[in-house]
Amino acid sequence: MAAQPSFVSLDDFEKHAYARLDRNALDYYRSGAQDMITVRENQRAFDRIVVRPRVLRDVSTIDMQITVQGQPISSPICIAPTAMQRMAHPEGECATARASVRKDTCMILSSWSTTSIEDVAASTPNSHAPKWLQLYIYKDREATKRLIERAQDSGYTAIALTVDTPFLGRRLADIRNRFQLPPHLTMANFSDQGKAQVGKADAASAADNASGLAAYVASQIDPTLSWKHVQWVKSVARIPVLVKGILTAEDARLAVDAGVDGIIVSNHGGRQIDTAPATIDVLEEVCHAVAGRVEVYLDGGVRRGTDVFKALALGATAVFLGRPVLWALSYNGEDGVVEMLDMINEELRLTMALAGCVNISDISRNHVRMLAQPRL
């Protein structure tokens, strides 16, 4: 039996996935909009922030526990929603959910998962680790309402409403590949074949050689949405509702005015509008606009414990990892995701110790300094 490779950074999981995944899945997971400038900036922007360490602080014991939406978790490193995880590993979303429970952290399930809301919940019985459901608002409002109700009935404790996708961004790799789900997989949260399948029919009907997924979004997701629809989701849900996809102070204020319970600063992994700002570059702007009225989270570009530390210093309550989870899942399923989370949590623990912070509340704006930002 071949020995498992020895990984020392999250980049190692990515390199392994590049050699292992088929082109259809790999390009779907790694691709961004257009020239992928924002994809690269999401990571590079962290390099323009330096840590200001404090010394002689007695850092023999480090506590990384926090709460998200009132629920305790072991650390501020959580799992972002990523679609179609069974393309990466046969156990897909269930393996990721079990890993989140083992690490006692929050997981957001994509509504475009290849495992149903109920089956993911059943894979982790009697768990106290929070699960949230990521939601798109479909043109079919009853289908959208049923997703919310099913999540609530299955023990999910929040809805993360994606607000940056009236249409799908132009993802060149998916267009070239005419992306479609493998025939043995479906979007498992839908019984209606029009909503469950992303395949040849979608790609064939797409204008301008778009991918099957772009055609799917155009046919199913409602582009007329406005802030009143956020309030509609709030009226349906009995659990907290967050919005995912905020990048400006203006929209952050409108989100709070609409009554949301939290904001996820996100540019959809650089997959919607290219040259949108890196999420870490706008985090502080959003936090200032919110002024503590709701919790603010961040996803996009987090690859190191130092990245997590910087996001917390700039006001984030927690960060969410997307692609690193997929790379780890493709490597070794549930155990791969646990190994990846262990690695970045230990990096955060070490960063906190070397910066003189013994718990998360010790991390402050004074611990970081922004360098001059180059033009995109």
Side-chain angles (χ1 to χ4, degrees):
M1 182 176 176
Q4 291 281 65
S6 178
F7 294 163
V8 297
S9 74
L10 268 60
D11 286 345
D12 291 336
F13 291 93
E14 181 173 1
K15 292 171 185 174
H16 186 271
Y18 277 35
R20 183 167 186 161
L21 289 171
D22 68 71
R23 177 50 61 92
N24 186 63
L26 176 62
D27 281 355
Y28 173 72
Y29 290 149
R30 71 180 174 182
S31 66
Q34 295 288 106
D35 300 311
M36 302 206 305
I37 293 169
T38 297
V39 172
R40 295 188 293 273
E41 275 297 297
N42 271 346
Q43 291 183 241
R44 290 174 178 171
F46 282 100
D47 297 337
R48 298 193 293 268
I49 305 169
V50 297
V51 175
R52 301 180 67 247
R54 302 296 306 276
V55 298
L56 299 175
R57 294 282 173 158
D58 184 3
V59 291
S60 54
T61 302
I62 303 294
D63 180 5
M64 301 197 303
Q65 296 179 85
I66 64 161
T67 61
V68 290
Q69 298 299 309
Q71 294 183 277
I73 56 175
S74 63
S75 93
I77 301 172
C78 305
I79 296 175
T82 51
M84 311 175 200
Q85 292 185 13
R86 288 181 61 201
M87 292 197 302
H89 188 275
E91 296 183 12
E93 293 85 0
C94 288
T96 301
R98 291 193 297 267
S100 74
V101 170
R102 285 170 61 183
K103 295 308 300 175
D104 189 24
T105 195
C106 178
M107 169 187 173
I108 308 179
L109 178 70
S110 170
S111 59
W112 291 351
S113 61
T114 41
T115 312
S116 72
I117 290 167
E118 293 82 2
D119 286 347
V120 172
S123 72
T124 56
N126 305 314
S127 165
H128 297 292
K131 290 184 189 64
W132 302 348
L133 177 70
Q134 176 273 333
L135 182 72
Y136 293 101
I137 297 181
Y138 277 72
K139 294 174 181 177
D140 182 346
R141 291 292 192 275
E142 281 303 309
T144 308
K145 183 179 178 183
R146 285 195 298 273
L147 287 172
I148 297 170
E149 293 169 344
R150 289 168 58 195
Q152 292 172 157
D153 292 345
S154 298
Y156 292 69
T157 56
I159 299 295
L161 176 64
T162 294
V163 295
D164 62 1
T165 313
F167 298 99
L168 202 71
R170 185 170 171 81
R171 305 170 189 176
L172 303 186
D174 287 347
I175 294 170
R176 293 188 181 103
N177 295 339
R178 288 301 191 95
F179 171 78
Q180 57 187 282
L181 265 175
H184 67 288
L185 298 177
T186 65
M187 291 188 182
N189 286 317
F190 304 99
S191 57
D192 174 357
Q193 289 301 299
K195 297 182 179 67
Q197 298 285 348
V198 179
K200 293 180 180 178
D202 291 312
S205 65
D208 196 23
N209 296 317
S211 72
L213 187 60
Y216 177 91
V217 170
S219 67
Q220 299 290 343
I221 305 302
D222 192 344
T224 71
L225 298 181
S226 67
W227 289 105
K228 69 181 181 182
H229 296 97
V230 175
Q231 294 169 330
W232 174 77
V233 173
K234 286 279 295 179
S235 73
V236 172
R238 304 188 307 271
I239 53 181
V241 174
L242 302 83
V243 287
K244 176 180 179 293
I246 300 298
L247 292 173
T248 66
E250 296 91 332
D251 281 342
R253 294 187 193 100
L254 289 171
V256 173
D257 291 344
V260 304
D261 299 287
I263 289 172
I264 303 176
V265 176
S266 174
N267 54 33
H268 216 113
R271 292 160 72 81
Q272 281 301 94
I273 180 168
D274 202 16
T275 71
T279 51
I280 193 65
D281 281 342
V282 298
L283 173 63
E284 193 167 30
E285 169 187 334
V286 170
C287 290
H288 284 164
V290 167
R293 290 174 288 174
V294 298
E295 292 179 345
V296 177
Y297 312 96
L298 174 137
D299 72 20
V302 176
R303 298 295 184 274
R304 289 286 194 184
T306 49
D307 298 340
V308 182
F309 185 91
K310 293 168 186 179
L312 300 177
L314 292 172
T317 296
V319 302
F320 286 82
L321 303 185
R323 289 183 179 95
V325 174
L326 296 170
W327 309 144
L329 189 64
S330 73
Y331 158 59
N332 197 23
E334 174 187 342
D335 288 342
V337 177
V338 169
E339 182 178 341
M340 182 275 295
L341 290 172
D342 279 340
M343 186 178 295
I344 193 168
N345 271 286
E346 283 308 307
E347 289 183 8
L348 174 60
R349 187 183 305 277
L350 179 60
T351 302
M352 289 176 63
L354 295 178
C357 300
V358 299
N359 53 55
I360 298 299
S361 63
D362 285 345
I363 303 172
S364 73
R365 182 63 174 82
N366 290 331
H367 283 101
V368 294
R369 180 166 60 86
M370 314 290 283
L371 301 178
Q373 295 190 26
R375 294 177 181 174
L376 288 177

